[in-house]
Amino acid sequence: MRVISNSFVMFKRCLLTSLRNPEAIGTAIFVPAIVMLLFGLIFGNVMDVGDYTYIDFIVPGIILQTVAQAVTSAAINVNNDMTKGIMDRFRSMDIAKSAVLTGHVLAAVVRNIIATAIVIGVAAAIGFRPQASFTDWLIIAGVLVLYMLAITWIAVICGLLAKTPESAGSMPFLLFVLPYVSSGFVPVETLPSGLKWFAERQPMTPIIDSLRSLMLNMPAGGTLTLALIWSAGIIIAAFTIAVQIYKRKLS
């Protein structure tokens, strides 16, 4: 129970910190929204993705990019805590070691939920027409929250390892790029052989495929199971690594 109560206190602290930095939240929303408009309005009429409209096809990939863009704030905030002395104060207090990091992660998930809702709204304004049922949306929400937790813990690791807040903000950039090398913007079958091999084996592809199937009321099949396995595995591994790095830094 102490871990839960400590994590909640740290969550409130991190959320208040985020509210004092609206520029970071604005950037996390603005960039993916521009990408949505760019691909949906400019490229939508020339891209052939089979039975889908292009806007319906790309929404899951851009949602994943939205989350990746937003977690850079978590990396920067963790690094600020590590480099500006606040951790020395936490070390002298009776606080669970993981609670400080968990607070950053939970605050990032809240920011990501808001950003994702806004991007979906932008998509709907330019023609996105999901056909998901209420149950499908509940599953979509669960998949997205797991994905948010997974890459936020990766961002926390970046924040712990980086020397400066600037480098902490740039280290998770690969998470923003990965949806491009997946089924996010074109069918995997159309990629060159080397990229196709990578796209079929990286975690973004089953997550995007399962979200797309659920949003368009189509069978998700084994992609949903694979997406959940990838997300859960990354959460466990990244959490363990982050806590160990944090403990080593404090000692």
Side-chain angles (χ1 to χ4, degrees), residues 35-138:
V35 173
M36 178 74 73
L37 291 171
L38 177 67
F39 278 87
L41 296 179
I42 298 178
F43 299 143
N45 293 327
V46 297
M47 298 294 289
D48 182 10
V49 289
D51 297 332
Y52 304 98
T53 63
Y54 193 58
I55 185 65
D56 289 343
F57 186 85
I58 64 172
V59 166
I62 294 180
I63 289 175
L64 265 59
Q65 285 191 320
T66 301
V67 177
Q69 177 74 25
V71 298
T72 59
S73 296
I76 293 170
N77 291 339
V78 169
N79 188 265
N80 279 329
D81 280 355
M82 296 301 296
T83 57
K84 294 186 176 179
I86 189 66
M87 289 302 182
D88 293 331
R89 183 175 181 182
F90 290 155
R91 181 166 49 187
S92 65
M93 300 169 66
D94 185 23
I95 299 175
K97 293 289 191 299
S98 62
V100 177
L101 302 182
T102 302
H104 281 289
V105 171
L106 294 178
V109 169
V110 171
R111 293 194 299 268
N112 269 314
I113 290 172
I114 296 171
T116 298
I118 291 174
V119 168
I120 292 175
V122 172
I126 61 174
F128 176 52
R129 296 296 179 265
Q131 301 171 32
S133 65
F134 178 73
T135 302
D136 290 334
W137 279 114
L138 290 179

Side-chain angles (χ1 to χ4, degrees), residues 118-189:
I118 291 174
V119 168
I120 292 175
V122 172
I126 61 174
F128 176 52
R129 296 296 179 265
Q131 301 171 32
S133 65
F134 178 73
T135 302
D136 290 334
W137 279 114
L138 290 179
I139 299 172
I140 289 168
V143 172
L144 284 174
V145 169
L146 280 177
Y147 171 72
M148 291 172 187
L149 288 169
I151 70 166
T152 304
W153 277 111
I154 294 175
V156 167
I157 293 173
C158 294
L160 291 170
L161 294 177
K163 300 296 184 183
T164 64
E166 291 76 16
S167 60
S170 62
M171 287 174 70
F173 181 73
L174 179 63
L175 298 172
F176 184 83
V177 174
L178 278 177
Y180 285 116
V181 194
S182 71
S183 60
F185 294 89
V186 295
V188 171
E189 295 76 19

Side-chain angles (χ1 to χ4, degrees), residues 64 178-179 181-184 188 198-212 223 227:
L64 265 59
L178 278 177
V181 194
S182 71
S183 60
V188 171
F198 177 77
E200 290 174 340
R201 289 160 177 80
Q202 65 128 320
M204 300 291 182
T205 295
I207 295 173
I208 289 170
D209 288 345
S210 60
L211 290 175
R212 183 181 294 127
T223 60

